[in-house]
Amino acid sequence: MEEAPTNGELRLLAEDLEHKREPSKMPNQRKNIRVVAKPRANQSCGDETRPRPVLQGLDGVVSKRVVFEQWAEALGTEERPSTKRQLSAESVAKCVSVSKRRDAVPHADTHASKAHAPAAQPGKPLPPQRTRKQLFKSTDVFQRLDTHTISAGKELREQCVFSASAIAQRVTQGAQTELEKLRAIWVWLCHNIVYDLEGYLGESPKLCSPDEVIKEGRGVCSGYSSVCLEMCREAGIECQEVSGYSKGIGYQAAGGRGDESDHMWNSVWLGGQWWLLDACWGAGRVDMRTKTFIKNYDDFYFLTEPSEFIDTHFPDQSEWQLLDTPISWEEFEKRAVTSSAFYSLGLKLKQHHRVTTDDDGQAKVCMSFPRPMSVTYELLPHHARADTHTPQQMPSDATLQERAPEQRDSCSSSARLSLTSLGMTLQLSPAMVGSYDLQLFARPLSEEEAPHCWVCTLEVVCPVVAEIEEVPANPFLSWGLCVGARELGVERCSAGSDVAEVTGEGGEYVLTVQTSRPLMMLCELAHTSLDPALAKRCLAMQIGPAQLACHVVCPLRGFYRLSVFVRDYSNGDGNLQNAGNFLLHCRNTNAGPQSLFPPNLSPWCGPGTRTEQAGLSQFSHTGPVVSLPQGRCNISFHKDCPDLQVHAGLSAELQQEDPSSGSQGLSTELREEAFPLSRHLLLAQMDGKVTVSVCVPRRGVYRLSLYGRRPPQQDYSPLCEYVLRSACEERGEPFPCVYSAWSRGCVLLEPRGGVLVAGQQVTFRVRVPGARSVCVIADKHTELRMNKSRVWEGQAHTGHGTLTDIKLAAATTDTDNMAILLTWDIRNLPNEL
């Protein structure tokens, strides 16, 4: 056991050491001084003069070696009186190297001194940095510790305990490692200190010293960092205060670097490396609109990854970036202002903070996701936000990163958003020259009940405005197929997120959607100058088992929004969900009111799921829109079930002829003598084939409806509808009037026209299955004969002006009575002089 040295021996040791020291080598020698000391356990907060405890031998006598090392440490302290040595937990058990000492905690109204940067031991590089996930997989591992800390914090407040050392001892009770001790200190800080907004705004003195901050329960950034420093010191954790700049409230992009930094945070030595944390930003956020602090605990700022921390925190000393290659101030300003949610969601931006529009007044912002996201946006003029009311002369304390409110309106025509499962593209077209703040909000697509959280803000600069047509509002936010369209059964679409140019004649466009299962579809068309009721007449939808189609007519120039809604076909009570929104652009159009589709069209236009279920196939016209250049057509299809009975109906909306179009229309006399539209339709049904013949009376748009039933079913059910468009100027003649006896298997070969001229010999050819005799009833009965092809044929005279109609009748093997099948009208021409 060594004896304690006398005072004389101490003086001799000091003089001898002073003569041998070389001033040029003093810094390195100081680094190599080794001490043995216990961490302070009960020292009062802020006590700079209290000496360290002296290690004693077993008999209570102080050794010469211990006194010498104690004196050497005091000598170093005299040279730098403002520093305090901080000991890690490892110092309790073994000797450690003395690291660079931190500067003294600044006074509340003075600027914080710069903390010393991390350095490797002489001749040894810094070890590879571990990541936060390597330190702990999730903050859930601290759940029990966090609960204890929060409970202890409430008790200490009720007991009026405001000593940093006492609080540190209490909240770290039961902590087994330095990490757990640091976690307890962090949780206590975030839950017991609120941000001193009044101090930040200059309405009251700032509280920065640990005693004041703890007692009042409020402080600015330096208050948080100083309390963290004192509590870590008490817990034996090596901690530093780091000063620098941040992108919090009051931050102005490209506003220049001030003479003094505006924020402070902490760095701790843990597990052999430095880590970053900011309890000020972890405690909550500031709402500058209401001038209030909102408690919102954020775990992101506890041991944050340096590569993510640097986006919002720029230290005065580049070493405290803790990056292999520190970035410059210019690079820091280029980075977007991001929130913790930006990183927790795994988002990545492909642009810098400032985005400038091109010569066309447009710019593009892209962001990638690791999983499907729902994204909204808000584009506001720069300085339009409430936090800009902060006095410009006041330095930004950057206390908290303000989180924007949930997005409510993203329907502006100045931006166009498109989403995929892996990313977002936002096309910007500001309406005026100037600078804008673009705020992006996001949430996981699977969390439908969660609000959209602000993730980042970019500055958009628009030096030139291009003249663009107004885009209709999009209440569904994104353009193109929705992110969740695949889950709805949509595989792909003929249109994308870009603008689809309408190049079809008459402003026509067809959107096709491939599906993975049978779906039901409805569509919506919007234009800034198009009446919603009229917009419904611009759509014709075709629903197939594996494909959906929407035929669109664009009667006006400009942009259109076409929205598609789907649900499972078998789920008749299910809600239709938005599957996609597409932007159409029509530069030129010849479409007029006469080109629109008939009103109240059903979704079952053309062959589709319903006709397939009815057993109809092999349609001669597979699309829902049929053009009639000659004013007539034959639509045929096959049916699997012979018992299926098919009925057809023809309708049209009465429209006034447009004299400026050059069409002559129908004369008044012919309008008065016009036949019903049912006479312009003739149906022929064989056992396995159905033919629907149509001859429209004049140019225009018609609706052909097909119905079907199977006995004993009494009522006909809708099968599908066709849209018929006739551009023929000649008047189409009607077919003969059909009676109920004209049944399955009957086919009219000639005459097909339903109006005959008096005084002519007309040839009749017709098939009537099961008929025993067939005759034409005019001035006299004319019996028709069956040829080898089982066609009844013969000639009959139309009379000499005394008849108004001629009838075709047949007698079947079941009865001797003649039944009327068809009737032709007789037209008497005026006498020629």
Side-chain angles (χ1 to χ4, degrees), residues 770-781:
R772 185 167 52 85
S773 63
V774 178
C775 67
V776 176
I777 304 175
D779 286 336
K780 61 179 181 178
H781 285 54

Side-chain angles (χ1 to χ4, degrees), residues 628-633 650 657 664-667 670-671 673-682 693-700 702 726-736 752-756 825 827:
L628 311 180
Q630 304 299 323
R632 62 180 68 232
C633 73
L650 188 66
E657 292 290 337
Q664 298 177 357
L666 299 179
S667 65
L670 292 178
R671 285 180 183 273
E673 297 179 357
F675 296 93
L677 285 177
S678 59
R679 290 286 303 273
H680 293 268
L681 184 67
L682 183 62
S693 300
V694 179
C695 183
V696 298
R698 54 191 173 99
R699 68 188 301 266
Y702 298 83
S726 174
C728 183
E729 298 292 345
E730 297 181 1
R731 181 173 64 90
E733 294 186 353
F735 293 102
R752 299 277 293 179
V755 179
L756 302 178
D825 290 274
R827 183 170 58 191

Side-chain angles (χ1 to χ4, degrees), residues 96-115:
V96 297
S97 297
V98 178
S99 66
K100 293 184 179 180
R101 298 167 177 82
R102 72 171 186 91
D103 293 338
V105 178
H107 192 267
D109 57 354
T110 61
H111 178 62
S113 301
K114 298 179 180 180

